Short mmCIF file of all heavy atoms in Angstrom, two decimals:
data_model
loop_
_atom_site.label_atom_id
_atom_site.label_comp_id
_atom_site.label_asym_id
_atom_site.label_seq_id
_atom_site.Cartn_x
_atom_site.Cartn_y
_atom_site.Cartn_z
N GLN A 215 -9.03 18.11 -1.53
CA GLN A 215 -8.40 19.06 -2.45
C GLN A 215 -8.44 18.53 -3.89
O GLN A 215 -8.88 17.42 -4.15
CB GLN A 215 -6.95 19.32 -2.03
CG GLN A 215 -6.80 19.95 -0.65
CD GLN A 215 -5.34 20.11 -0.26
OE1 GLN A 215 -4.44 20.02 -1.10
NE2 GLN A 215 -5.09 20.34 1.02
N THR A 216 -7.97 19.37 -4.81
CA THR A 216 -7.81 18.96 -6.20
C THR A 216 -6.35 19.20 -6.60
O THR A 216 -5.86 20.32 -6.47
CB THR A 216 -8.73 19.78 -7.13
OG1 THR A 216 -10.08 19.59 -6.69
CG2 THR A 216 -8.60 19.29 -8.57
N PRO A 217 -5.61 18.19 -7.09
CA PRO A 217 -6.07 16.80 -7.22
C PRO A 217 -6.17 16.11 -5.85
O PRO A 217 -5.33 16.35 -4.98
CB PRO A 217 -4.99 16.15 -8.09
CG PRO A 217 -3.76 16.93 -7.75
CD PRO A 217 -4.21 18.35 -7.52
N ALA A 218 -7.17 15.28 -5.70
CA ALA A 218 -7.42 14.63 -4.42
C ALA A 218 -6.46 13.48 -4.19
O ALA A 218 -6.03 12.80 -5.14
CB ALA A 218 -8.86 14.13 -4.37
N ALA A 219 -6.13 13.25 -2.92
CA ALA A 219 -5.35 12.07 -2.56
C ALA A 219 -6.13 10.81 -2.90
O ALA A 219 -7.36 10.78 -2.79
CB ALA A 219 -5.03 12.10 -1.07
N ILE A 220 -5.42 9.78 -3.35
CA ILE A 220 -6.05 8.48 -3.60
C ILE A 220 -5.32 7.42 -2.78
O ILE A 220 -4.15 7.62 -2.43
CB ILE A 220 -6.01 8.09 -5.11
CG1 ILE A 220 -4.56 7.91 -5.58
CG2 ILE A 220 -6.75 9.11 -5.97
CD1 ILE A 220 -4.44 7.30 -6.98
N PRO A 221 -5.98 6.32 -2.45
CA PRO A 221 -5.25 5.23 -1.81
C PRO A 221 -4.16 4.72 -2.74
O PRO A 221 -4.38 4.64 -3.96
CB PRO A 221 -6.32 4.16 -1.59
CG PRO A 221 -7.64 4.84 -1.80
CD PRO A 221 -7.39 5.98 -2.72
N ILE A 222 -2.99 4.42 -2.21
CA ILE A 222 -1.94 3.85 -3.06
C ILE A 222 -2.47 2.59 -3.73
O ILE A 222 -2.22 2.35 -4.91
CB ILE A 222 -0.67 3.56 -2.23
CG1 ILE A 222 -0.05 4.89 -1.79
CG2 ILE A 222 0.34 2.74 -3.03
CD1 ILE A 222 1.16 4.73 -0.89
N TYR A 223 -3.19 1.79 -2.99
CA TYR A 223 -3.96 0.67 -3.55
C TYR A 223 -4.89 0.13 -2.48
O TYR A 223 -4.49 -0.06 -1.33
CB TYR A 223 -3.05 -0.46 -4.08
CG TYR A 223 -3.83 -1.66 -4.55
CD1 TYR A 223 -4.72 -1.54 -5.62
CD2 TYR A 223 -3.74 -2.89 -3.90
CE1 TYR A 223 -5.48 -2.62 -6.03
CE2 TYR A 223 -4.49 -3.97 -4.32
CZ TYR A 223 -5.37 -3.82 -5.38
OH TYR A 223 -6.14 -4.88 -5.79
N GLU A 224 -6.15 -0.07 -2.86
CA GLU A 224 -7.12 -0.71 -1.96
C GLU A 224 -7.42 -2.11 -2.47
O GLU A 224 -7.43 -2.33 -3.69
CB GLU A 224 -8.43 0.10 -1.92
CG GLU A 224 -8.36 1.29 -1.02
CD GLU A 224 -9.71 1.99 -0.88
OE1 GLU A 224 -10.48 2.02 -1.87
OE2 GLU A 224 -9.99 2.51 0.20
N PRO A 225 -7.65 -3.05 -1.53
CA PRO A 225 -7.86 -2.89 -0.09
C PRO A 225 -6.58 -2.90 0.74
O PRO A 225 -6.64 -2.83 1.97
CB PRO A 225 -8.70 -4.12 0.25
CG PRO A 225 -8.23 -5.16 -0.71
CD PRO A 225 -7.91 -4.44 -1.99
N GLU A 226 -5.42 -2.91 0.11
CA GLU A 226 -4.17 -3.11 0.84
C GLU A 226 -3.76 -1.91 1.69
O GLU A 226 -3.37 -2.06 2.85
CB GLU A 226 -3.06 -3.44 -0.17
CG GLU A 226 -1.96 -4.27 0.37
CD GLU A 226 -1.02 -4.72 -0.74
OE1 GLU A 226 -0.76 -3.95 -1.68
OE2 GLU A 226 -0.53 -5.85 -0.64
N LEU A 227 -3.80 -0.71 1.10
CA LEU A 227 -3.40 0.51 1.81
C LEU A 227 -4.52 1.55 1.72
O LEU A 227 -4.41 2.56 1.02
CB LEU A 227 -2.10 1.08 1.22
CG LEU A 227 -0.83 0.22 1.38
CD1 LEU A 227 0.36 0.91 0.74
CD2 LEU A 227 -0.55 -0.08 2.86
N PRO A 228 -5.64 1.33 2.43
CA PRO A 228 -6.74 2.29 2.40
C PRO A 228 -6.34 3.60 3.06
O PRO A 228 -5.52 3.61 3.99
CB PRO A 228 -7.85 1.58 3.19
CG PRO A 228 -7.12 0.67 4.12
CD PRO A 228 -5.89 0.21 3.37
N LEU A 229 -6.90 4.70 2.58
CA LEU A 229 -6.61 5.99 3.19
C LEU A 229 -7.09 6.01 4.64
O LEU A 229 -8.20 5.56 4.94
CB LEU A 229 -7.31 7.11 2.41
CG LEU A 229 -6.69 7.54 1.07
CD1 LEU A 229 -7.57 8.56 0.38
CD2 LEU A 229 -5.29 8.09 1.27
N GLY A 230 -6.26 6.51 5.53
CA GLY A 230 -6.63 6.58 6.94
C GLY A 230 -5.41 6.79 7.79
O GLY A 230 -4.27 6.65 7.34
N ARG A 231 -5.65 7.14 9.05
CA ARG A 231 -4.55 7.38 9.98
C ARG A 231 -4.06 6.08 10.59
O ARG A 231 -4.78 5.09 10.63
CB ARG A 231 -5.01 8.34 11.07
CG ARG A 231 -5.45 9.68 10.53
CD ARG A 231 -5.82 10.64 11.63
NE ARG A 231 -6.24 11.91 11.06
CZ ARG A 231 -6.41 13.02 11.75
NH1 ARG A 231 -6.18 13.00 13.04
NH2 ARG A 231 -6.80 14.13 11.16
N GLY A 232 -2.84 6.14 11.08
CA GLY A 232 -2.29 5.00 11.80
C GLY A 232 -1.41 4.11 10.94
O GLY A 232 -1.37 4.24 9.71
N VAL A 233 -0.72 3.21 11.60
CA VAL A 233 0.21 2.30 10.93
C VAL A 233 -0.56 1.16 10.28
O VAL A 233 -1.45 0.57 10.88
CB VAL A 233 1.22 1.72 11.95
CG1 VAL A 233 2.16 0.73 11.28
CG2 VAL A 233 2.02 2.85 12.60
N ILE A 234 -0.23 0.88 9.02
CA ILE A 234 -0.86 -0.23 8.30
C ILE A 234 0.18 -1.33 8.14
O ILE A 234 1.22 -1.14 7.50
CB ILE A 234 -1.37 0.22 6.91
CG1 ILE A 234 -2.33 1.41 7.04
CG2 ILE A 234 -2.06 -0.96 6.19
CD1 ILE A 234 -2.72 2.02 5.70
N GLN A 235 -0.08 -2.47 8.73
CA GLN A 235 0.81 -3.61 8.61
C GLN A 235 0.56 -4.34 7.29
O GLN A 235 -0.54 -4.26 6.74
CB GLN A 235 0.61 -4.57 9.79
CG GLN A 235 0.94 -3.98 11.14
CD GLN A 235 2.42 -3.66 11.31
OE1 GLN A 235 3.27 -4.21 10.60
NE2 GLN A 235 2.73 -2.78 12.26
N PRO A 236 1.54 -5.06 6.77
CA PRO A 236 1.31 -5.83 5.54
C PRO A 236 0.21 -6.86 5.77
O PRO A 236 -0.02 -7.31 6.90
CB PRO A 236 2.65 -6.53 5.29
CG PRO A 236 3.65 -5.81 6.11
CD PRO A 236 2.91 -5.24 7.28
N PRO A 237 -0.49 -7.25 4.70
CA PRO A 237 -1.50 -8.30 4.84
C PRO A 237 -0.89 -9.58 5.42
O PRO A 237 0.32 -9.82 5.32
CB PRO A 237 -1.98 -8.52 3.40
CG PRO A 237 -1.65 -7.24 2.69
CD PRO A 237 -0.40 -6.74 3.33
N GLU A 238 -1.72 -10.38 6.02
CA GLU A 238 -1.29 -11.64 6.63
C GLU A 238 -0.47 -12.46 5.64
O GLU A 238 -0.87 -12.67 4.50
CB GLU A 238 -2.52 -12.44 7.08
CG GLU A 238 -2.20 -13.69 7.87
CD GLU A 238 -1.64 -13.41 9.25
OE1 GLU A 238 -1.97 -12.35 9.82
OE2 GLU A 238 -0.86 -14.24 9.74
N GLY A 239 0.70 -12.91 6.08
CA GLY A 239 1.54 -13.76 5.26
C GLY A 239 2.51 -13.01 4.36
O GLY A 239 3.38 -13.63 3.74
N LEU A 240 2.38 -11.68 4.27
CA LEU A 240 3.26 -10.89 3.41
C LEU A 240 4.26 -10.11 4.26
O LEU A 240 3.97 -9.69 5.38
CB LEU A 240 2.47 -9.90 2.55
CG LEU A 240 1.38 -10.46 1.64
CD1 LEU A 240 0.86 -9.36 0.71
CD2 LEU A 240 1.86 -11.64 0.82
N GLU A 241 5.46 -9.90 3.70
CA GLU A 241 6.48 -9.13 4.41
C GLU A 241 6.38 -7.64 4.11
O GLU A 241 6.93 -6.82 4.85
CB GLU A 241 7.87 -9.64 4.03
CG GLU A 241 8.15 -11.06 4.52
CD GLU A 241 9.54 -11.53 4.18
OE1 GLU A 241 10.26 -10.81 3.45
OE2 GLU A 241 9.93 -12.62 4.65
N MET A 242 5.70 -7.28 3.03
CA MET A 242 5.52 -5.89 2.66
C MET A 242 4.27 -5.77 1.81
O MET A 242 3.82 -6.77 1.22
CB MET A 242 6.75 -5.38 1.89
CG MET A 242 7.00 -6.09 0.57
SD MET A 242 8.63 -5.76 -0.14
CE MET A 242 8.54 -4.01 -0.45
N PRO A 243 3.65 -4.59 1.74
CA PRO A 243 2.48 -4.45 0.87
C PRO A 243 2.84 -4.78 -0.57
O PRO A 243 3.88 -4.36 -1.09
CB PRO A 243 2.12 -2.96 1.03
CG PRO A 243 2.72 -2.55 2.33
CD PRO A 243 3.98 -3.34 2.46
N GLY A 244 1.98 -5.54 -1.23
CA GLY A 244 2.25 -5.95 -2.61
C GLY A 244 2.40 -4.78 -3.55
O GLY A 244 3.22 -4.81 -4.48
N CYS A 245 1.62 -3.70 -3.33
CA CYS A 245 1.70 -2.55 -4.24
C CYS A 245 3.05 -1.83 -4.11
O CYS A 245 3.48 -1.17 -5.05
CB CYS A 245 0.55 -1.59 -3.98
SG CYS A 245 0.41 -1.00 -2.28
N ILE A 246 3.71 -1.98 -2.95
CA ILE A 246 5.07 -1.44 -2.80
C ILE A 246 6.06 -2.38 -3.48
O ILE A 246 6.97 -1.94 -4.20
CB ILE A 246 5.42 -1.27 -1.31
CG1 ILE A 246 4.44 -0.30 -0.63
CG2 ILE A 246 6.86 -0.81 -1.15
CD1 ILE A 246 4.47 1.11 -1.15
N ARG A 247 5.88 -3.68 -3.28
CA ARG A 247 6.78 -4.66 -3.92
C ARG A 247 6.70 -4.55 -5.44
O ARG A 247 7.71 -4.76 -6.12
CB ARG A 247 6.40 -6.07 -3.46
CG ARG A 247 7.24 -7.19 -4.10
CD ARG A 247 8.71 -7.07 -3.71
NE ARG A 247 9.52 -8.09 -4.34
CZ ARG A 247 10.04 -8.00 -5.56
NH1 ARG A 247 9.82 -6.93 -6.31
NH2 ARG A 247 10.80 -8.98 -6.04
N ASP A 248 5.55 -4.19 -5.98
CA ASP A 248 5.42 -4.02 -7.43
C ASP A 248 6.35 -2.93 -7.96
O ASP A 248 6.74 -2.96 -9.13
CB ASP A 248 3.97 -3.67 -7.81
CG ASP A 248 3.04 -4.86 -7.75
OD1 ASP A 248 3.52 -6.01 -7.80
OD2 ASP A 248 1.82 -4.64 -7.66
N ALA A 249 6.68 -1.96 -7.12
CA ALA A 249 7.54 -0.85 -7.54
C ALA A 249 9.02 -1.14 -7.28
O ALA A 249 9.88 -0.32 -7.61
CB ALA A 249 7.13 0.43 -6.81
N ALA A 250 9.31 -2.29 -6.68
CA ALA A 250 10.69 -2.64 -6.35
C ALA A 250 11.36 -3.35 -7.52
O ALA A 250 10.69 -3.95 -8.36
CB ALA A 250 10.71 -3.53 -5.11
N PRO A 251 12.68 -3.32 -7.58
CA PRO A 251 13.38 -4.04 -8.65
C PRO A 251 13.28 -5.55 -8.47
O PRO A 251 13.21 -6.05 -7.34
CB PRO A 251 14.83 -3.57 -8.50
CG PRO A 251 14.96 -3.12 -7.09
CD PRO A 251 13.62 -2.59 -6.69
N ASP A 252 13.26 -6.27 -9.58
CA ASP A 252 13.28 -7.72 -9.54
C ASP A 252 14.71 -8.20 -9.80
O ASP A 252 15.66 -7.46 -9.58
CB ASP A 252 12.30 -8.30 -10.57
CG ASP A 252 10.88 -8.37 -10.01
OD1 ASP A 252 10.72 -8.22 -8.79
OD2 ASP A 252 9.95 -8.55 -10.81
N ALA A 253 14.85 -9.42 -10.30
CA ALA A 253 16.17 -10.07 -10.34
C ALA A 253 17.23 -9.24 -11.06
O ALA A 253 18.34 -9.05 -10.54
CB ALA A 253 16.03 -11.44 -11.00
#
């Protein structure tokens, strides 16, 4: 469609079906943590 869906961030959250686990060693996707509050 227009506007087309985009990956929230690649290679971390590529478009596709199914559950995406955080990358090895991370508790959450970094692109989500970037949107979270800091100290």
Side-chain angles (χ1 to χ4, degrees):
Q215 298 177 15
T216 302
I220 64 170
I222 292 177
Y223 175 62
E224 280 186 326
E226 208 171 37
L227 295 179
L229 284 175
R231 299 183 180 192
V233 178
I234 304 172
Q235 297 294 339
E238 187 70 28
L240 303 189
E241 294 182 353
M242 63 193 297
C245 56
I246 300 296
R247 178 64 182 85
D248 284 340
D252 276 346

